[in-house]
Amino acid sequence: MAIIVAITAQWIESQNDPGYRFVNFFGYFTIQSNIFVGAVFLVAAAYGLRSRSQPGWLTVAHAATITYIATTGVVYNLLLANGPLGDFNVAWSNNILHRVIPVVAVLQWILFGDRSSIAWKRLWYFLIYPVIWLIVILLRGQDFVPYPFLNVVTIGAGSVTLYCIAITAFVVGMSALVIWVSRLRILRPDSDLPRQERASVSST
């Protein structure tokens, strides 16, 4: 619910910007990663209410969204937080999307063992979305530059390339960390999981 309220508030305010475009607003990695988290949480909750364990595809999707929202939080707070907020940004919405949701989502993944373990061979699945997003943004060029570290005009192609490499490396590392955490059971020991769920460690 917090995600919906925060995105809606920011979307309404953004429409006051003379340069506002619907496709650009929803083109931000921040917006998309938060939408993914909200969608996956809703689906996971639906399975939980029906007392059914998460299927393998949902566990992988859940893990991928944790990687994306963690990337959103880290990149924002390291590279963007000290910059100007902008005339059409909502401060409380900005904090929810860049700070609150990333922390809550990561803690949920770490603390609650409500999923099966993920096989390492699934790691590359996590890279599909961010790589496609980055390619699309770079191909659009100056038509839409969502973040200053992707602006070739202001910082140069070399700097943009280095940022892209660094963020890609971070996503790979975060994906590996998320998969590793999927094998931990902090608040729910592995012995408490259904037998068939424990058996999916190598097949999920």
PDB file of all heavy atoms in Angstrom, residues 29 33 37 60-74 105-106 109 123 126-127 129-130 167-168 170-179:
ATOM      1  N   PHE A  29      14.180   3.504 -13.033  1.00  0.00           N
ATOM      2  CA  PHE A  29      14.457   2.224 -12.368  1.00  0.00           C
ATOM      3  C   PHE A  29      13.825   2.203 -10.988  1.00  0.00           C
ATOM      4  O   PHE A  29      13.320   1.166 -10.536  1.00  0.00           O
ATOM      5  CB  PHE A  29      15.968   2.011 -12.260  1.00  0.00           C
ATOM      6  CG  PHE A  29      16.361   0.604 -11.906  1.00  0.00           C
ATOM      7  CD1 PHE A  29      16.571  -0.345 -12.893  1.00  0.00           C
ATOM      8  CD2 PHE A  29      16.520   0.214 -10.581  1.00  0.00           C
ATOM      9  CE1 PHE A  29      16.938  -1.653 -12.575  1.00  0.00           C
ATOM     10  CE2 PHE A  29      16.875  -1.087 -10.251  1.00  0.00           C
ATOM     11  CZ  PHE A  29      17.089  -2.023 -11.248  1.00  0.00           C
ATOM     12  N   SER A  33      11.304  -0.759 -10.068  1.00  0.00           N
ATOM     13  CA  SER A  33      11.706  -1.722  -9.041  1.00  0.00           C
ATOM     14  C   SER A  33      10.715  -1.743  -7.885  1.00  0.00           C
ATOM     15  O   SER A  33      10.431  -2.807  -7.315  1.00  0.00           O
ATOM     16  CB  SER A  33      13.119  -1.414  -8.533  1.00  0.00           C
ATOM     17  OG  SER A  33      13.195  -0.124  -7.946  1.00  0.00           O
ATOM     18  N   VAL A  37       8.407  -4.946  -6.643  1.00  0.00           N
ATOM     19  CA  VAL A  37       8.343  -5.401  -5.249  1.00  0.00           C
ATOM     20  C   VAL A  37       6.897  -5.508  -4.785  1.00  0.00           C
ATOM     21  O   VAL A  37       6.486  -6.512  -4.191  1.00  0.00           O
ATOM     22  CB  VAL A  37       9.134  -4.443  -4.326  1.00  0.00           C
ATOM     23  CG1 VAL A  37       8.807  -4.724  -2.862  1.00  0.00           C
ATOM     24  CG2 VAL A  37      10.626  -4.602  -4.554  1.00  0.00           C
ATOM     25  N   VAL A  60      12.080 -17.151  -7.388  1.00  0.00           N
ATOM     26  CA  VAL A  60      13.107 -16.494  -8.208  1.00  0.00           C
ATOM     27  C   VAL A  60      12.711 -15.041  -8.491  1.00  0.00           C
ATOM     28  O   VAL A  60      13.542 -14.127  -8.409  1.00  0.00           O
ATOM     29  CB  VAL A  60      13.327 -17.266  -9.522  1.00  0.00           C
ATOM     30  CG1 VAL A  60      14.271 -16.496 -10.446  1.00  0.00           C
ATOM     31  CG2 VAL A  60      13.898 -18.647  -9.237  1.00  0.00           C
ATOM     32  N   ALA A  61      11.442 -14.811  -8.817  1.00  0.00           N
ATOM     33  CA  ALA A  61      10.972 -13.444  -9.065  1.00  0.00           C
ATOM     34  C   ALA A  61      11.105 -12.590  -7.817  1.00  0.00           C
ATOM     35  O   ALA A  61      11.514 -11.420  -7.880  1.00  0.00           O
ATOM     36  CB  ALA A  61       9.514 -13.474  -9.537  1.00  0.00           C
ATOM     37  N   HIS A  62      10.765 -13.180  -6.673  1.00  0.00           N
ATOM     38  CA  HIS A  62      10.891 -12.475  -5.394  1.00  0.00           C
ATOM     39  C   HIS A  62      12.343 -12.080  -5.138  1.00  0.00           C
ATOM     40  O   HIS A  62      12.646 -10.929  -4.799  1.00  0.00           O
ATOM     41  CB  HIS A  62      10.375 -13.388  -4.276  1.00  0.00           C
ATOM     42  CG  HIS A  62      10.232 -12.719  -2.953  1.00  0.00           C
ATOM     43  ND1 HIS A  62       9.647 -13.329  -1.872  1.00  0.00           N
ATOM     44  CD2 HIS A  62      10.613 -11.491  -2.512  1.00  0.00           C
ATOM     45  CE1 HIS A  62       9.662 -12.516  -0.840  1.00  0.00           C
ATOM     46  NE2 HIS A  62      10.257 -11.389  -1.204  1.00  0.00           N
ATOM     47  N   ALA A  63      13.239 -13.028  -5.344  1.00  0.00           N
ATOM     48  CA  ALA A  63      14.661 -12.765  -5.127  1.00  0.00           C
ATOM     49  C   ALA A  63      15.173 -11.687  -6.076  1.00  0.00           C
ATOM     50  O   ALA A  63      15.957 -10.806  -5.681  1.00  0.00           O
ATOM     51  CB  ALA A  63      15.460 -14.051  -5.316  1.00  0.00           C
ATOM     52  N   ALA A  64      14.749 -11.754  -7.333  1.00  0.00           N
ATOM     53  CA  ALA A  64      15.183 -10.750  -8.305  1.00  0.00           C
ATOM     54  C   ALA A  64      14.736  -9.353  -7.903  1.00  0.00           C
ATOM     55  O   ALA A  64      15.501  -8.394  -8.002  1.00  0.00           O
ATOM     56  CB  ALA A  64      14.650 -11.103  -9.688  1.00  0.00           C
ATOM     57  N   THR A  65      13.497  -9.235  -7.423  1.00  0.00           N
ATOM     58  CA  THR A  65      13.004  -7.907  -7.027  1.00  0.00           C
ATOM     59  C   THR A  65      13.775  -7.375  -5.821  1.00  0.00           C
ATOM     60  O   THR A  65      13.973  -6.162  -5.705  1.00  0.00           O
ATOM     61  CB  THR A  65      11.498  -7.934  -6.698  1.00  0.00           C
ATOM     62  OG1 THR A  65      11.259  -8.828  -5.605  1.00  0.00           O
ATOM     63  CG2 THR A  65      10.684  -8.358  -7.900  1.00  0.00           C
ATOM     64  N   ILE A  66      14.216  -8.280  -4.930  1.00  0.00           N
ATOM     65  CA  ILE A  66      15.035  -7.833  -3.802  1.00  0.00           C
ATOM     66  C   ILE A  66      16.350  -7.254  -4.311  1.00  0.00           C
ATOM     67  O   ILE A  66      16.834  -6.229  -3.825  1.00  0.00           O
ATOM     68  CB  ILE A  66      15.294  -9.006  -2.829  1.00  0.00           C
ATOM     69  CG1 ILE A  66      13.976  -9.527  -2.245  1.00  0.00           C
ATOM     70  CG2 ILE A  66      16.233  -8.565  -1.708  1.00  0.00           C
ATOM     71  CD1 ILE A  66      13.163  -8.489  -1.508  1.00  0.00           C
ATOM     72  N   THR A  67      16.931  -7.911  -5.312  1.00  0.00           N
ATOM     73  CA  THR A  67      18.157  -7.402  -5.917  1.00  0.00           C
ATOM     74  C   THR A  67      17.932  -6.017  -6.507  1.00  0.00           C
ATOM     75  O   THR A  67      18.744  -5.095  -6.301  1.00  0.00           O
ATOM     76  CB  THR A  67      18.646  -8.353  -7.028  1.00  0.00           C
ATOM     77  OG1 THR A  67      18.953  -9.630  -6.456  1.00  0.00           O
ATOM     78  CG2 THR A  67      19.884  -7.801  -7.719  1.00  0.00           C
ATOM     79  N   TYR A  68      16.838  -5.832  -7.221  1.00  0.00           N
ATOM     80  CA  TYR A  68      16.575  -4.560  -7.888  1.00  0.00           C
ATOM     81  C   TYR A  68      16.302  -3.434  -6.889  1.00  0.00           C
ATOM     82  O   TYR A  68      16.805  -2.324  -7.041  1.00  0.00           O
ATOM     83  CB  TYR A  68      15.387  -4.696  -8.846  1.00  0.00           C
ATOM     84  CG  TYR A  68      15.518  -5.822  -9.837  1.00  0.00           C
ATOM     85  CD1 TYR A  68      14.387  -6.474 -10.335  1.00  0.00           C
ATOM     86  CD2 TYR A  68      16.769  -6.264 -10.255  1.00  0.00           C
ATOM     87  CE1 TYR A  68      14.513  -7.529 -11.246  1.00  0.00           C
ATOM     88  CE2 TYR A  68      16.896  -7.321 -11.155  1.00  0.00           C
ATOM     89  CZ  TYR A  68      15.764  -7.951 -11.643  1.00  0.00           C
ATOM     90  OH  TYR A  68      15.890  -8.988 -12.529  1.00  0.00           O
ATOM     91  N   ILE A  69      15.494  -3.724  -5.857  1.00  0.00           N
ATOM     92  CA  ILE A  69      15.164  -2.665  -4.901  1.00  0.00           C
ATOM     93  C   ILE A  69      16.371  -2.325  -4.032  1.00  0.00           C
ATOM     94  O   ILE A  69      16.556  -1.171  -3.631  1.00  0.00           O
ATOM     95  CB  ILE A  69      13.943  -3.065  -4.033  1.00  0.00           C
ATOM     96  CG1 ILE A  69      13.313  -1.812  -3.404  1.00  0.00           C
ATOM     97  CG2 ILE A  69      14.312  -4.064  -2.978  1.00  0.00           C
ATOM     98  CD1 ILE A  69      12.681  -0.866  -4.393  1.00  0.00           C
ATOM     99  N   ALA A  70      17.215  -3.331  -3.759  1.00  0.00           N
ATOM    100  CA  ALA A  70      18.447  -3.054  -3.017  1.00  0.00           C
ATOM    101  C   ALA A  70      19.365  -2.174  -3.851  1.00  0.00           C
ATOM    102  O   ALA A  70      20.011  -1.243  -3.332  1.00  0.00           O
ATOM    103  CB  ALA A  70      19.147  -4.360  -2.652  1.00  0.00           C
ATOM    104  N   THR A  71      19.442  -2.444  -5.150  1.00  0.00           N
ATOM    105  CA  THR A  71      20.231  -1.608  -6.050  1.00  0.00           C
ATOM    106  C   THR A  71      19.702  -0.182  -6.066  1.00  0.00           C
ATOM    107  O   THR A  71      20.482   0.780  -6.032  1.00  0.00           O
ATOM    108  CB  THR A  71      20.201  -2.192  -7.481  1.00  0.00           C
ATOM    109  OG1 THR A  71      20.728  -3.531  -7.457  1.00  0.00           O
ATOM    110  CG2 THR A  71      21.023  -1.341  -8.434  1.00  0.00           C
ATOM    111  N   THR A  72      18.391  -0.046  -6.107  1.00  0.00           N
ATOM    112  CA  THR A  72      17.775   1.285  -6.056  1.00  0.00           C
ATOM    113  C   THR A  72      18.215   2.040  -4.814  1.00  0.00           C
ATOM    114  O   THR A  72      18.625   3.196  -4.887  1.00  0.00           O
ATOM    115  CB  THR A  72      16.238   1.158  -6.063  1.00  0.00           C
ATOM    116  OG1 THR A  72      15.809   0.651  -7.326  1.00  0.00           O
ATOM    117  CG2 THR A  72      15.573   2.506  -5.820  1.00  0.00           C
ATOM    118  N   GLY A  73      18.121   1.382  -3.665  1.00  0.00           N
ATOM    119  CA  GLY A  73      18.480   2.039  -2.413  1.00  0.00           C
ATOM    120  C   GLY A  73      19.945   2.416  -2.330  1.00  0.00           C
ATOM    121  O   GLY A  73      20.294   3.541  -1.955  1.00  0.00           O
ATOM    122  N   VAL A  74      20.820   1.495  -2.715  1.00  0.00           N
ATOM    123  CA  VAL A  74      22.262   1.746  -2.609  1.00  0.00           C
ATOM    124  C   VAL A  74      22.704   2.816  -3.601  1.00  0.00           C
ATOM    125  O   VAL A  74      23.433   3.757  -3.238  1.00  0.00           O
ATOM    126  CB  VAL A  74      23.051   0.441  -2.835  1.00  0.00           C
ATOM    127  CG1 VAL A  74      24.540   0.734  -2.966  1.00  0.00           C
ATOM    128  CG2 VAL A  74      22.801  -0.533  -1.695  1.00  0.00           C
ATOM    129  N   ALA A 105      12.127  -4.404   2.381  1.00  0.00           N
ATOM    130  CA  ALA A 105      12.155  -5.561   1.483  1.00  0.00           C
ATOM    131  C   ALA A 105      13.360  -6.456   1.765  1.00  0.00           C
ATOM    132  O   ALA A 105      13.238  -7.687   1.809  1.00  0.00           O
ATOM    133  CB  ALA A 105      12.177  -5.091   0.028  1.00  0.00           C
ATOM    134  N   VAL A 106      14.518  -5.860   1.958  1.00  0.00           N
ATOM    135  CA  VAL A 106      15.730  -6.639   2.233  1.00  0.00           C
ATOM    136  C   VAL A 106      15.617  -7.364   3.578  1.00  0.00           C
ATOM    137  O   VAL A 106      15.972  -8.544   3.692  1.00  0.00           O
ATOM    138  CB  VAL A 106      16.974  -5.731   2.197  1.00  0.00           C
ATOM    139  CG1 VAL A 106      18.199  -6.481   2.734  1.00  0.00           C
ATOM    140  CG2 VAL A 106      17.243  -5.254   0.773  1.00  0.00           C
ATOM    141  N   TRP A 109      13.412 -10.353   3.327  1.00  0.00           N
ATOM    142  CA  TRP A 109      14.086 -11.466   2.655  1.00  0.00           C
ATOM    143  C   TRP A 109      15.063 -12.166   3.590  1.00  0.00           C
ATOM    144  O   TRP A 109      15.182 -13.390   3.589  1.00  0.00           O
ATOM    145  CB  TRP A 109      14.810 -10.965   1.413  1.00  0.00           C
ATOM    146  CG  TRP A 109      15.456 -12.061   0.612  1.00  0.00           C
ATOM    147  CD1 TRP A 109      16.788 -12.375   0.563  1.00  0.00           C
ATOM    148  CD2 TRP A 109      14.795 -13.008  -0.243  1.00  0.00           C
ATOM    149  NE1 TRP A 109      16.998 -13.441  -0.276  1.00  0.00           N
ATOM    150  CE2 TRP A 109      15.785 -13.844  -0.794  1.00  0.00           C
ATOM    151  CE3 TRP A 109      13.465 -13.201  -0.613  1.00  0.00           C
ATOM    152  CZ2 TRP A 109      15.497 -14.879  -1.684  1.00  0.00           C
ATOM    153  CZ3 TRP A 109      13.166 -14.232  -1.503  1.00  0.00           C
ATOM    154  CH2 TRP A 109      14.174 -15.050  -2.021  1.00  0.00           C
ATOM    155  N   LEU A 123      21.137 -17.441 -11.196  1.00  0.00           N
ATOM    156  CA  LEU A 123      21.625 -16.076 -10.991  1.00  0.00           C
ATOM    157  C   LEU A 123      21.488 -15.212 -12.244  1.00  0.00           C
ATOM    158  O   LEU A 123      21.132 -14.044 -12.169  1.00  0.00           O
ATOM    159  CB  LEU A 123      23.076 -16.107 -10.507  1.00  0.00           C
ATOM    160  CG  LEU A 123      23.681 -14.764 -10.059  1.00  0.00           C
ATOM    161  CD1 LEU A 123      24.743 -14.994  -8.992  1.00  0.00           C
ATOM    162  CD2 LEU A 123      24.316 -14.006 -11.227  1.00  0.00           C
ATOM    163  N   PHE A 126      18.498 -12.978 -12.948  1.00  0.00           N
ATOM    164  CA  PHE A 126      18.370 -11.699 -12.262  1.00  0.00           C
ATOM    165  C   PHE A 126      18.887 -10.536 -13.109  1.00  0.00           C
ATOM    166  O   PHE A 126      18.517  -9.383 -12.893  1.00  0.00           O
ATOM    167  CB  PHE A 126      19.147 -11.714 -10.944  1.00  0.00           C
ATOM    168  CG  PHE A 126      18.636 -12.670  -9.906  1.00  0.00           C
ATOM    169  CD1 PHE A 126      17.893 -13.784 -10.247  1.00  0.00           C
ATOM    170  CD2 PHE A 126      18.917 -12.463  -8.568  1.00  0.00           C
ATOM    171  CE1 PHE A 126      17.430 -14.675  -9.286  1.00  0.00           C
ATOM    172  CE2 PHE A 126      18.464 -13.340  -7.594  1.00  0.00           C
ATOM    173  CZ  PHE A 126      17.713 -14.447  -7.957  1.00  0.00           C
ATOM    174  N   LEU A 127      19.762 -10.851 -14.066  1.00  0.00           N
ATOM    175  CA  LEU A 127      20.417  -9.802 -14.846  1.00  0.00           C
ATOM    176  C   LEU A 127      19.613  -9.374 -16.072  1.00  0.00           C
ATOM    177  O   LEU A 127      19.901  -8.326 -16.659  1.00  0.00           O
ATOM    178  CB  LEU A 127      21.799 -10.283 -15.295  1.00  0.00           C
ATOM    179  CG  LEU A 127      22.730 -10.813 -14.192  1.00  0.00           C
ATOM    180  CD1 LEU A 127      24.056 -11.237 -14.803  1.00  0.00           C
ATOM    181  CD2 LEU A 127      22.931  -9.788 -13.103  1.00  0.00           C
ATOM    182  N   TYR A 129      16.464  -8.244 -16.632  1.00  0.00           N
ATOM    183  CA  TYR A 129      15.752  -6.965 -16.580  1.00  0.00           C
ATOM    184  C   TYR A 129      16.686  -5.758 -16.511  1.00  0.00           C
ATOM    185  O   TYR A 129      16.548  -4.820 -17.318  1.00  0.00           O
ATOM    186  CB  TYR A 129      14.757  -6.940 -15.421  1.00  0.00           C
ATOM    187  CG  TYR A 129      14.376  -5.540 -15.009  1.00  0.00           C
ATOM    188  CD1 TYR A 129      13.624  -4.726 -15.856  1.00  0.00           C
ATOM    189  CD2 TYR A 129      14.793  -5.007 -13.790  1.00  0.00           C
ATOM    190  CE1 TYR A 129      13.296  -3.421 -15.498  1.00  0.00           C
ATOM    191  CE2 TYR A 129      14.469  -3.726 -13.420  1.00  0.00           C
ATOM    192  CZ  TYR A 129      13.725  -2.940 -14.273  1.00  0.00           C
ATOM    193  OH  TYR A 129      13.412  -1.654 -13.911  1.00  0.00           O
ATOM    194  N   PRO A 130      17.642  -5.684 -15.555  1.00  0.00           N
ATOM    195  CA  PRO A 130      18.485  -4.483 -15.502  1.00  0.00           C
ATOM    196  C   PRO A 130      19.309  -4.247 -16.759  1.00  0.00           C
ATOM    197  O   PRO A 130      19.520  -3.104 -17.153  1.00  0.00           O
ATOM    198  CB  PRO A 130      19.382  -4.716 -14.270  1.00  0.00           C
ATOM    199  CG  PRO A 130      19.283  -6.157 -13.975  1.00  0.00           C
ATOM    200  CD  PRO A 130      17.942  -6.608 -14.442  1.00  0.00           C
ATOM    201  N   ILE A 167      27.896  -0.568 -11.684  1.00  0.00           N
ATOM    202  CA  ILE A 167      26.545  -0.921 -11.237  1.00  0.00           C
ATOM    203  C   ILE A 167      26.195  -2.344 -11.648  1.00  0.00           C
ATOM    204  O   ILE A 167      25.557  -3.085 -10.895  1.00  0.00           O
ATOM    205  CB  ILE A 167      25.520   0.096 -11.788  1.00  0.00           C
ATOM    206  CG1 ILE A 167      25.763   1.466 -11.132  1.00  0.00           C
ATOM    207  CG2 ILE A 167      24.091  -0.380 -11.518  1.00  0.00           C
ATOM    208  CD1 ILE A 167      24.913   2.576 -11.698  1.00  0.00           C
ATOM    209  N   THR A 168      26.639  -2.746 -12.838  1.00  0.00           N
ATOM    210  CA  THR A 168      26.407  -4.126 -13.266  1.00  0.00           C
ATOM    211  C   THR A 168      27.109  -5.100 -12.333  1.00  0.00           C
ATOM    212  O   THR A 168      26.537  -6.138 -11.950  1.00  0.00           O
ATOM    213  CB  THR A 168      26.908  -4.338 -14.709  1.00  0.00           C
ATOM    214  OG1 THR A 168      26.202  -3.458 -15.595  1.00  0.00           O
ATOM    215  CG2 THR A 168      26.692  -5.779 -15.148  1.00  0.00           C
ATOM    216  N   PHE A 170      27.810  -4.552  -9.264  1.00  0.00           N
ATOM    217  CA  PHE A 170      27.066  -4.529  -8.002  1.00  0.00           C
ATOM    218  C   PHE A 170      25.833  -5.429  -8.089  1.00  0.00           C
ATOM    219  O   PHE A 170      25.526  -6.176  -7.156  1.00  0.00           O
ATOM    220  CB  PHE A 170      26.643  -3.103  -7.655  1.00  0.00           C
ATOM    221  CG  PHE A 170      25.778  -3.021  -6.423  1.00  0.00           C
ATOM    222  CD1 PHE A 170      26.351  -2.986  -5.161  1.00  0.00           C
ATOM    223  CD2 PHE A 170      24.394  -3.008  -6.527  1.00  0.00           C
ATOM    224  CE1 PHE A 170      25.556  -2.933  -4.019  1.00  0.00           C
ATOM    225  CE2 PHE A 170      23.590  -2.961  -5.403  1.00  0.00           C
ATOM    226  CZ  PHE A 170      24.180  -2.924  -4.146  1.00  0.00           C
ATOM    227  N   VAL A 171      25.110  -5.352  -9.204  1.00  0.00           N
ATOM    228  CA  VAL A 171      23.913  -6.174  -9.381  1.00  0.00           C
ATOM    229  C   VAL A 171      24.267  -7.659  -9.341  1.00  0.00           C
ATOM    230  O   VAL A 171      23.558  -8.466  -8.731  1.00  0.00           O
ATOM    231  CB  VAL A 171      23.193  -5.825 -10.701  1.00  0.00           C
ATOM    232  CG1 VAL A 171      22.061  -6.811 -10.980  1.00  0.00           C
ATOM    233  CG2 VAL A 171      22.634  -4.404 -10.649  1.00  0.00           C
ATOM    234  N   VAL A 172      25.377  -8.033  -9.981  1.00  0.00           N
ATOM    235  CA  VAL A 172      25.818  -9.426  -9.960  1.00  0.00           C
ATOM    236  C   VAL A 172      26.130  -9.854  -8.526  1.00  0.00           C
ATOM    237  O   VAL A 172      25.704 -10.929  -8.061  1.00  0.00           O
ATOM    238  CB  VAL A 172      27.059  -9.628 -10.850  1.00  0.00           C
ATOM    239  CG1 VAL A 172      27.625 -11.037 -10.661  1.00  0.00           C
ATOM    240  CG2 VAL A 172      26.711  -9.393 -12.310  1.00  0.00           C
ATOM    241  N   GLY A 173      26.868  -9.009  -7.818  1.00  0.00           N
ATOM    242  CA  GLY A 173      27.215  -9.323  -6.430  1.00  0.00           C
ATOM    243  C   GLY A 173      25.991  -9.393  -5.536  1.00  0.00           C
ATOM    244  O   GLY A 173      25.873 -10.296  -4.694  1.00  0.00           O
ATOM    245  N   MET A 174      25.060  -8.450  -5.711  1.00  0.00           N
ATOM    246  CA  MET A 174      23.840  -8.458  -4.912  1.00  0.00           C
ATOM    247  C   MET A 174      22.986  -9.675  -5.225  1.00  0.00           C
ATOM    248  O   MET A 174      22.379 -10.276  -4.333  1.00  0.00           O
ATOM    249  CB  MET A 174      23.050  -7.181  -5.167  1.00  0.00           C
ATOM    250  CG  MET A 174      21.759  -7.068  -4.354  1.00  0.00           C
ATOM    251  SD  MET A 174      22.006  -7.177  -2.555  1.00  0.00           S
ATOM    252  CE  MET A 174      22.965  -5.680  -2.260  1.00  0.00           C
ATOM    253  N   SER A 175      22.941 -10.075  -6.493  1.00  0.00           N
ATOM    254  CA  SER A 175      22.191 -11.270  -6.880  1.00  0.00           C
ATOM    255  C   SER A 175      22.752 -12.502  -6.176  1.00  0.00           C
ATOM    256  O   SER A 175      21.995 -13.343  -5.662  1.00  0.00           O
ATOM    257  CB  SER A 175      22.254 -11.469  -8.402  1.00  0.00           C
ATOM    258  OG  SER A 175      21.685 -10.377  -9.090  1.00  0.00           O
ATOM    259  N   ALA A 176      24.070 -12.598  -6.155  1.00  0.00           N
ATOM    260  CA  ALA A 176      24.713 -13.730  -5.478  1.00  0.00           C
ATOM    261  C   ALA A 176      24.402 -13.712  -3.982  1.00  0.00           C
ATOM    262  O   ALA A 176      24.140 -14.759  -3.372  1.00  0.00           O
ATOM    263  CB  ALA A 176      26.224 -13.693  -5.714  1.00  0.00           C
ATOM    264  N   LEU A 177      24.419 -12.528  -3.400  1.00  0.00           N
ATOM    265  CA  LEU A 177      24.135 -12.407  -1.969  1.00  0.00           C
ATOM    266  C   LEU A 177      22.694 -12.804  -1.661  1.00  0.00           C
ATOM    267  O   LEU A 177      22.420 -13.508  -0.678  1.00  0.00           O
ATOM    268  CB  LEU A 177      24.396 -10.975  -1.509  1.00  0.00           C
ATOM    269  CG  LEU A 177      24.211 -10.684  -0.009  1.00  0.00           C
ATOM    270  CD1 LEU A 177      25.165 -11.556   0.809  1.00  0.00           C
ATOM    271  CD2 LEU A 177      24.452  -9.211   0.273  1.00  0.00           C
ATOM    272  N   VAL A 178      21.768 -12.368  -2.512  1.00  0.00           N
ATOM    273  CA  VAL A 178      20.352 -12.701  -2.313  1.00  0.00           C
ATOM    274  C   VAL A 178      20.136 -14.211  -2.418  1.00  0.00           C
ATOM    275  O   VAL A 178      19.382 -14.793  -1.632  1.00  0.00           O
ATOM    276  CB  VAL A 178      19.481 -11.951  -3.341  1.00  0.00           C
ATOM    277  CG1 VAL A 178      18.063 -12.502  -3.366  1.00  0.00           C
ATOM    278  CG2 VAL A 178      19.444 -10.458  -3.006  1.00  0.00           C
ATOM    279  N   ILE A 179      20.802 -14.854  -3.370  1.00  0.00           N
ATOM    280  CA  ILE A 179      20.675 -16.303  -3.511  1.00  0.00           C
ATOM    281  C   ILE A 179      21.258 -17.005  -2.286  1.00  0.00           C
ATOM    282  O   ILE A 179      20.674 -17.969  -1.765  1.00  0.00           O
ATOM    283  CB  ILE A 179      21.385 -16.782  -4.796  1.00  0.00           C
ATOM    284  CG1 ILE A 179      20.609 -16.312  -6.022  1.00  0.00           C
ATOM    285  CG2 ILE A 179      21.527 -18.304  -4.801  1.00  0.00           C
ATOM    286  CD1 ILE A 179      21.272 -16.647  -7.350  1.00  0.00           C
TER     287      ILE A 179
END
